Amino acid sequence: MARATILVPHGPEADAVRRARPAARVVEVPAGSACGAALPEFDPDETVVAMGLCGGLWRLRAGDVAIYGRVADGIGVTELDHTVVDELTGALPQAVVVNAYTSTRVVTTVVARTVLAQRFNADVVDMEAMHLATALHERGVRFGMVRIVSDDASRDLPPIDDAVGADGRLQPVPVALAFARAPLAAVAFVRDVRASLRVLTETARAISPVAV
């Protein structure tokens, strides 16, 4: 790749990517649907790699590396550039190529994850992929997506369904209340997220030779 930009939600995910000191430019975007409207300008020959965390809907476990091959939401489906998928697979031989679903909120229950997996033939869920894919496709930008599974379908999360506000920022009060209502689930969730952020750093470092 001649030149690349890594897009990553601001906050802990962006911090994890920056710790890798990648050669690519790192651009932070809001979480959720606001991400698509917050993109910078890209050079005609530039490649974008969107990174961050995601939730597993089935078969993948916390800490697994997912390369997106297809993204869907309730409206449409986007197939990602297979040449970029192949390049990322070469740099990340331990990763799994997956189908992703973009949700409007955090999916917290095993039951809801099972429904999404079956309805959309999806392996993972996040809140940004389809919005980014649509915006990048409209600009004619070559792009790929790599996410780390931070929570899987083995157990329910704390009730943090509305943890991300309309502006794409984490809502600390609702999160704190949700953690207080489900302290054991909160401990497991935080443990898995911290471990997955370490994997995110390692993954950003591994793709750096590819994304330049």
Side-chain angles (χ1 to χ4, degrees), residues 82-93:
H82 67 88
T83 62
V84 181
V85 172
D86 289 345
E87 290 174 16
L88 291 170
T89 301
L92 303 168

Side-chain angles (χ1 to χ4, degrees), residues 53-55 68 100-104 124-130 147:
L53 302 181
C54 65
Y68 286 14
Y101 174 76
T102 296
S103 174
T104 58
V124 300
V125 60
D126 68 33
M127 297 177 62
E128 296 83 32
M130 194 62 165
R147 294 256 174 167

Side-chain angles (χ1 to χ4, degrees), residues 1-168:
M1 299 180 186
R3 182 185 175 190
T5 289
I6 294 175
L7 299 178
V8 60
H10 54 58
E13 291 164 280
D15 293 342
V17 168
R18 291 188 184 281
R19 279 194 291 272
R21 300 184 180 276
R25 174 176 62 154
V26 177
V27 174
E28 299 183 26
V29 297
S33 60
C35 64
L39 299 182
E41 294 298 319
F42 301 104
D43 291 341
D45 63 343
E46 193 167 359
T47 297
V48 171
V49 180
M51 300 192 72
L53 302 181
C54 65
L57 296 179
W58 75 290
R59 78 182 177 112
L60 273 70
R61 298 300 182 188
D64 286 348
V65 182
I67 298 171
Y68 286 14
R70 189 192 73 184
V71 180
D73 60 9
I75 300 174
V77 176
T78 296
E79 300 285 343
L80 274 70
D81 187 328
H82 67 88
T83 62
V84 181
V85 172
D86 289 345
E87 290 174 16
L88 291 170
T89 301
L92 303 168
Q94 81 283 14
V96 180
V97 178
V98 303
N99 297 331
Y101 174 76
T102 296
S103 174
T104 58
R105 59 176 56 195
V106 180
V107 182
T108 59
T109 68
V110 172
V111 171
R113 290 177 189 239
T114 300
V115 170
L116 291 176
Q118 294 175 348
R119 181 178 178 185
F120 295 98
N121 188 28
D123 304 291
V124 300
V125 60
D126 68 33
M127 297 177 62
E128 296 83 32
M130 194 62 165
H131 305 293
L132 291 174
T134 299
L136 293 167
H137 181 74
E138 288 176 349
R139 295 187 184 201
V141 178
R142 185 173 184 264
F143 68 93
M145 296 184 173
V146 179
R147 294 256 174 167
I148 312 303
V149 177
S150 62
D151 48 272
D152 56 42
S154 62
R155 58 178 175 268
D156 292 345
L157 301 184
I160 54 172
D161 309 61
D162 298 316
V164 178
D167 62 352

